[in-house]
Amino acid sequence: MAEVKLIGMWASPFVRRIQVALELKGVEYEYVEEDLANKSELLLKYNPVHKKVPVLVHKGKPIAESLVILEYVDETWKNNPILPKDPYQRANARFWARFIDEKCRPALWQAVWGKGEEREKAMEEACQNLKILENELKNKKFFGGESIGLVDLTGNFITHWFVDVIEEAAGIELVTKEKFPILWKWVDEFVSCTPVKKNLPNKEKLVEYFRAGFSSGSWKY
Amino acid sequence: MAEVKLIGMWASPFVRRIQVALELKGVEYEYVEEDLANKSELLLKYNPVHKKVPVLVHKGKPIAESLVILEYVDETWKNNPILPKDPYQRANARFWARFIDEKCRPALWQAVWGKGEEREKAMEEACQNLKILENELKNKKFFGGESIGLVDLTGNFITHWFVDVIEEAAGIELVTKEKFPILWKWVDEFVSCTPVKKNLPNKEKLVEYFRAGFSSGSWKY
């Protein structure tokens, strides 16, 4: 067995976070594609609690949950840090990563797939949250400063997934360049980075996937 | 201004997590009680995104979100560690802390306050999740081993709050000693620890508070 193994699913932004992180660190790994409609024994063995991807297996020991994995990767391979050194800056990075995962993502999701009044409310909430993110990004190239870090990796859902793919698949326009110029600039910078670029799923395939809906329901948004 | 200030609310388990952590570290701090029905300018200034407690203010700089604060406290005051040293064990602690906050807490909450079928489903889910936690605790005094750590602090909602107070306030029995003997033993050990004991809100006052319901709705469960 390879020393580092990643159990993933090609369309998942959570899995791609880890791929970019491993790329940044220069860690070689074996990638195992999971069929979430027919979960493998490997996945059930290594993530019996959530039964979800990504799972990183390092020296035979599994780690689940993408934000937990990112911290593990950063603590295990210390080159090209994903989190800053200073405790206060680390707290800030963790705060914004949580904000993206717990506030931005669910609202964006509901704004696309919700119904009626619920959807309207989610659209408003999503825009408010993205404005807060814009404000945080002001005068910075990345959330992490000059290089990508935890918050950028967590925000990958907004980049290639939401702005480039899901809006097209759903036929809506929410995160427009006019409304969110700073976020757009960041999306451009982010997807142009080599480690990110190398780990983006094919756009057309992704649009098709999202159009078909999430019949499996096995990887959370 | 005191070097360390904690903006809190007496009945919040999230705030108490931080109080126990500061107690463990021997950090002196000024405690500021917040009226969540009429939020102070201090809270709105220091946590403009969530407008919630707890907020830790260290040397004038605010940190919000209880799990983020716990990591900050552990990185800033290094005595009596809250997280283990080893990256894999750290990842495990973070995994279980998230499991408690994201899976156990909402299910327990719904099991008490939900309606009809939704409540039944939540009860089943809550029991399944607590069984998973029991399994994790097997042969250990605390989740952190011999001394309390991140997972124990995060699990405080289950101890004094759920088992001791909310079940009584709601007139239900869910986390019984018969069903969850290992968790019960842990609850006993946890609330008997001096730093925890010193920071438990008065039980009768808390029962009354939960009976009256959460009219403010400002601190999430």
Side-chain angles (χ1 to χ4, degrees):
Chain A
M1 192 166 118
E3 182 169 294
V4 182
K5 193 189 275 246
L6 177 66
I7 309 175
M9 196 280 257
W10 70 274
S12 162
F14 305 102
V15 173
R16 299 285 173 173
R17 289 174 181 175
I18 313 305
Q19 291 185 280
V20 177
L22 292 172
E23 186 83 36
L24 273 170
K25 300 283 187 181
V27 176
E28 288 195 19
Y29 62 96
E30 181 194 336
Y31 177 80
V32 184
E33 178 74 10
E34 181 66 28
D35 174 6
L36 290 174
N38 182 21
K39 293 177 182 177
S40 70
E41 277 184 35
L42 196 74
L43 179 66
L44 301 179
K45 175 184 163 195
Y46 280 140
N47 190 7
V49 174
H50 300 296
K51 304 173 183 72
K52 283 176 178 167
V53 292
V55 179
L56 185 79
V57 189
H58 185 208
K59 295 180 181 169
K61 292 194 280 186
I63 306 122
E65 298 282 86
S66 69
L67 291 189
V68 175
I69 300 173
L70 287 177
E71 296 244 14
Y72 176 82
V73 167
D74 206 38
E75 287 173 357
T76 303
W77 296 279
K78 297 198 187 295
N79 61 314
N80 297 341
I82 294 168
L83 276 120
K85 262 197 172 165
D86 171 69
Y88 187 72
Q89 286 178 24
R90 290 168 77 82
N92 255 333
R94 290 182 180 124
F95 176 89
W96 289 110
R98 288 178 74 95
F99 178 73
I100 289 172
D101 256 6
E102 293 170 16
K103 294 285 170 186
C104 297
R105 207 168 33 76
L108 280 169
W109 202 240
Q110 274 297 100
V112 176
W113 304 100
K115 303 264 173 254
E117 211 178 298
E118 197 183 54
R119 186 181 177 185
E120 291 298 315
K121 227 180 110 185
M123 278 198 162
E124 204 178 302
E125 200 191 318
C127 285
Q128 276 171 6
N129 290 341
L130 293 177
K131 275 286 166 208
I132 292 173
L133 271 190
E134 277 242 323
N135 196 43
E136 181 56 23
L137 252 179
K138 245 183 212 165
N139 307 321
K140 285 196 280 194
K141 187 173 172 185
F142 295 112
F143 286 98
E146 277 310 298
S147 55
I148 61 176
L150 183 75
V151 188
D152 304 284
L153 292 173
T154 309
N156 75 342
F157 171 76
I158 301 167
T159 62
H160 190 57
W161 278 262
F162 201 87
V163 170
D164 280 353
V165 170
I166 298 176
E167 289 199 353
E168 186 175 325
I172 65 155
E173 276 196 334
L174 199 143
V175 193
T176 62
K177 201 171 182 169
E178 292 67 38
K179 254 189 182 161
F180 301 101
I182 301 172
L183 271 178
W184 264 72
K185 203 171 155 282
W186 167 74
V187 169
D188 269 353
E189 297 276 12
F190 185 74
V191 297
S192 308
C193 266
T194 310
V196 177
K197 218 174 183 169
K198 274 176 78 177
N199 287 287
L200 285 180
N202 176 278
K203 189 184 158 180
E204 283 67 40
K205 218 177 132 196
L206 210 53
V207 170
E208 203 178 296
Y209 174 82
F210 279 93
R211 273 213 183 109
F214 302 94
S215 53
S216 75
S218 298
W219 49 292
K220 68 173 183 184
Y221 262 97
Chain B
M1 193 166 116
E3 184 169 292
V4 182
K5 194 191 275 245
L6 178 65
I7 309 175
M9 197 279 257
W10 70 275
S12 163
F14 306 101
V15 173
R16 299 285 173 173
R17 289 173 180 176
I18 313 305
Q19 291 185 281
V20 176
L22 292 172
E23 186 84 33
L24 273 169
K25 299 283 185 181
V27 175
E28 289 196 16
Y29 62 97
E30 181 194 337
Y31 177 78
V32 183
E33 176 74 12
E34 182 66 27
D35 175 6
L36 291 174
N38 182 23
K39 293 178 181 176
S40 69
E41 276 185 34
L42 197 75
L43 179 65
L44 301 179
K45 176 184 162 192
Y46 281 139
N47 191 4
V49 173
H50 300 296
K51 305 175 182 70
K52 283 177 180 167
V53 293
V55 178
L56 186 79
V57 189
H58 185 207
K59 294 180 182 171
K61 291 194 280 185
I63 306 122
E65 297 282 86
S66 70
L67 292 188
V68 175
I69 299 173
L70 288 176
E71 297 244 15
Y72 176 81
V73 166
D74 206 39
E75 287 174 357
T76 303
W77 296 280
K78 298 200 187 293
N79 60 313
N80 298 340
I82 294 169
L83 276 120
K85 262 196 175 167
D86 171 68
Y88 186 71
Q89 287 179 23
R90 290 168 77 81
N92 256 333
R94 289 181 181 124
F95 175 88
W96 290 110
R98 287 177 73 95
F99 178 72
I100 289 173
D101 256 7
E102 292 170 16
K103 294 282 170 189
C104 298
R105 206 166 37 75
L108 282 169
W109 202 239
Q110 274 298 102
V112 176
W113 305 99
K115 304 265 172 254
E117 210 178 300
E118 197 184 52
R119 187 180 175 183
E120 291 299 314
K121 226 181 111 185
M123 278 197 163
E124 203 178 305
E125 199 190 319
C127 285
Q128 276 171 6
N129 290 340
L130 293 178
K131 276 284 165 211
I132 293 172
L133 271 191
E134 277 241 323
N135 196 43
E136 180 57 23
L137 254 178
K138 245 184 212 163
N139 308 321
K140 283 195 281 193
K141 186 172 173 186
F142 296 111
F143 286 98
E146 277 309 300
S147 55
I148 61 176
L150 183 76
V151 188
D152 303 283
L153 291 173
T154 308
N156 75 341
F157 171 75
I158 301 167
T159 61
H160 190 58
W161 278 261
F162 201 85
V163 171
D164 281 352
V165 169
I166 298 175
E167 289 198 354
E168 184 176 327
I172 65 156
E173 277 195 334
L174 199 143
V175 192
T176 63
K177 201 170 181 170
E178 290 67 38
K179 255 189 182 162
F180 301 101
I182 302 172
L183 270 179
W184 263 72
K185 203 172 155 279
W186 167 74
V187 168
D188 269 354
E189 297 276 12
F190 185 74
V191 297
S192 308
C193 266
T194 309
V196 176
K197 217 175 185 171
K198 275 176 77 177
N199 287 287
L200 286 181
N202 175 278
K203 190 185 159 180
E204 284 67 40
K205 217 177 133 196
L206 210 53
V207 171
E208 201 179 298
Y209 175 81
F210 279 94
R211 273 211 182 110
F214 304 95
S215 53
S216 76
S218 298
W219 50 291
K220 69 173 180 184
Y221 263 94

